[in-house]
Every structure is written in structure tokens, then in C-alpha cells.
Amino acid sequence: MFAILIGVAIGIGLPIQTSVNSRLRRAVGTPFLASLISFTIGTLFLAGTTLMVDHHLLFSPQLFRTQPAWLWIGGIFGVLYLTANILLFPKLGSVQTVILPVFGQILMGLLIDNYGWFHAKVSPLTPIRLVGALLVLVGVITTVAVGAWLLTRKTYDRTTVPSNGLWPWRLLGVLVGMLSAAQSAINGHLGKVLASSLNAAFVSFLVGTLALLLLNLGLRSPLQLRHPQGQTNPWWMWLGGIIGALYVLGNVYLVPVVGTGLAVVIVLVGLMTGSLLIDHFGWLGSPRNPITPVQILGLIIMITGVALIHLA
């Protein structure tokens, strides 16, 4: 039960982080620079926390020879997921940008559990687990797509018009969702290898920060703090990296305990819950969109799916 609460909590933090980083992006001008600042702050936070708790950041260089190469690329998968979502949004719109990666996450999570990829805990794919995963996906579609359709009763997204040219982008959405689930499994095993969830989260964030640094150097993004529409920049716009660090840390703890598949869907329930709360109350400067009965129904369907996977 404690693990489930952690998963829901870090999932709720994800849409909050998105809102915070969106405000940071408005202040610095580019999404890639905002991501670099967010990752850097998260890395520094994890470095300080790791030093306080574990009293060290370094590990034996021998691990590079004795451990598989994929153990160190979880942070890069995280950056690819973040960057791809930035690219997908203008192509696919908000609805498909949410649903397609979710499908990839659930699919990859179940495959990792079934085959024990990335040295993950093996949980065979039973019919009950499959039904539970499908219910989670149906809940997401109900909450995001059906809810939007009922609110507008008209075309709410340019992607409601079929286009063969969008299929490569849709496949990319599923792929980056799969990479996100793989990141959770990789970081979970890294935590066991380093015997420290904190140290594993720090390493993952450090790798992601270095990848973003190289990307921004290649793009030659200038650092210039702006004041959009003459507004004062709020202090909380710098907290996105800390929220992201807690998300990675929570996954490092969660995956070895409950498995990648269940960890993915638990966090997903938290993510959808957090998104609905932000919309309903208009937190962090977001426009208020009251929760509808259809969205509550979608959330109930997702929770039912999680219960089936957990009990299977």
C-alpha cells in the first residue's frame, strides 16, 4: 500500500512539473533551455540529498566493465521522452500526445514484466493483468478524449481528421512511451546495483543534464531571462527540477517493489488525477476547467484496472 501511495504521489507531481516548466519556458524563451535548467536544478538537489544521506556520490569505475551498457542510459531515455513530447504536441495535438505515449508505457511495462527485461522482477502476463491494462487505457481515453468531445461536440483537435502523414508521429508517440517505461526499469535496476535509490536517481539526472547541455550547445540557445507581458517571474518556476527529481527517485524505489508494469499504471493514475485537480482549481496560473462526470468515470475505470493488475 505504501508503494502505491508513493506511485500516485509522484504521478500527481508530473502535471504540476509540466505547469511549472511551462512557466519557466515563457521566462527563458525555449523549451530546451527550460528543460536544461530544470534538469540541472534537479541534479544539484539530488547531489546534495545523496551526500547528506549516503555521504558519497561516486561509485566504483569497475561497474562500467561488469554491468551492461544500458544501465547508464536511463537519463537519455528521459530526455528523449521530454523532447519528443515537445515535437509531438504541434503535430498531433494535446489528446493524442497524451494517449499514444500512455499506450506505449503500458505495452512496454507489461513486456518488461513478462520477460524480465533489464533484470526486472518477472510478473507473467496473465489474462487478468491484460484486462487491467486495457481498463487503464480505456480510462485514459475516456478522461482525455471522450471528455473533450463531450465538452465541445465538435472537432477539438486537428487530428480528428485522418491523415496518413501523421502515422510516423503517432508511432513516435508510442515509441517514446515505451522508452519512458524502459527508463523506469533501468533506473530501478541501477538502484539495486548502486545499493542506493538516491545515487541511482542522481546518476540518471546527471546523464540527462549532460545530454541536454550538449543539445543546447548545438542549438546555441542564449540564456536570457524575460518577463512575459511585464509579469513578475514567480519563485516556484524554479521548482520543476526538484519535482522531476522526486519522480525519478520514486520510480527507482517503486519498480523493484511492484514491477515495471504496475509502477507505470500507478503513476499514470496519479498523473491523470493531478491533471484533473490542476484544471479544476486552476493551480499555478492554469485556466479553470471544472471536472466533469465523464472524467471522474474515466478515473474510476483506471483505478479498477490498477486493482486488477495489482491483485493478479
Side-chain angles (χ1 to χ4, degrees):
M1 187 63 185
F2 179 67
I4 292 177
L5 291 176
I6 288 180
V8 172
I10 62 176
I12 289 175
L14 275 178
I16 296 176
Q17 182 198 25
T18 300
S19 297
V20 171
N21 284 344
S22 296
R23 183 61 181 83
L24 178 62
R25 174 187 175 178
R26 291 173 59 199
V28 299
T30 74
F32 302 108
L33 191 54
S35 297
L36 174 60
I37 293 172
S38 181
F39 263 75
T40 301
I41 292 173
T43 301
L44 294 174
F45 169 76
L46 285 169
T49 306
T50 304
L51 284 173
M52 285 190 294
V53 176
D54 293 344
H55 308 296
H56 67 85
L57 288 175
L58 302 178
F59 50 85
S60 173
Q62 191 175 12
L63 291 177
F64 289 112
R65 296 193 299 270
T66 60
Q67 296 296 324
W70 52 257
L71 189 66
W72 314 102
I73 61 174
I76 294 178
F77 282 0
V79 170
L80 289 174
Y81 176 75
L82 177 70
T83 304
N85 273 281
I86 295 172
L87 298 174
L88 289 174
F89 185 82
K91 297 290 183 180
L92 299 180
S94 59
V95 173
Q96 293 191 56
T97 300
V98 170
I99 292 174
L100 293 173
V102 164
F103 175 72
Q105 287 173 334
I106 295 174
L107 174 64
M108 189 64 167
L110 293 176
L111 289 173
I112 290 171
D113 279 358
N114 188 64
Y115 295 106
W117 293 342
F118 307 115
H119 300 307
K121 174 184 176 183
V122 176
S123 297
L125 180 57
T126 63
I128 293 179
R129 286 175 63 85
L130 183 58
V131 170
L134 290 175
L135 280 177
V136 173
L137 186 59
V138 169
V140 173
I141 294 172
T142 301
T143 303
V144 179
V146 178
W149 179 80
L150 288 174
L151 283 173
T152 60
R153 297 283 181 142
K154 60 183 180 179
T155 299
Y156 59 86
D157 197 309
R158 77 175 89 178
T159 57
T160 53
V161 180
S163 172
N164 293 331
L166 293 176
W167 277 108
W169 295 102
R170 291 168 178 153
L171 292 175
L172 177 62
V174 175
L175 176 61
V176 296
M178 296 176 74
L179 291 181
S180 176
Q183 179 195 19
S184 297
I186 289 170
N187 288 343
H189 185 60
L190 179 61
K192 291 196 288 187
V193 169
L194 299 179
S196 169
S197 298
L198 274 169
N199 207 355
F202 165 72
V203 170
S204 179
F205 246 71
L206 179 62
V207 171
T209 299
L210 294 175
L212 280 167
L213 178 61
L214 292 175
L215 176 63
N216 278 276
L217 287 175
L219 295 174
R220 298 181 179 180
S221 303
L223 177 58
Q224 183 179 0
L225 195 61
R226 309 172 185 181
H227 297 275
Q229 299 175 347
Q231 299 175 348
T232 302
N233 289 318
W235 60 271
W236 48 257
M237 77 177 188
W238 307 102
L239 299 182
I242 296 176
I243 299 172
L246 293 174
Y247 167 76
V248 172
L249 179 59
N251 267 297
V252 173
Y253 164 78
L254 198 61
V255 168
V257 176
V258 302
T260 305
L262 183 55
V264 166
V265 295
I266 291 173
V267 171
L268 177 60
V269 171
L271 185 154
M272 299 306 297
T273 302
S275 298
L276 293 178
L277 289 174
I278 289 174
D279 278 356
H280 185 76
F281 293 106
W283 290 342
L284 303 173
S286 300
R288 287 194 63 182
N289 294 303
I291 297 174
T292 65
V294 170
Q295 291 172 323
I296 295 176
L297 174 63
L299 195 58
I300 292 172
I301 294 173
M302 281 187 279
I303 293 172
T304 303
V306 171
L308 284 177
I309 296 173
H310 182 58
L311 297 175

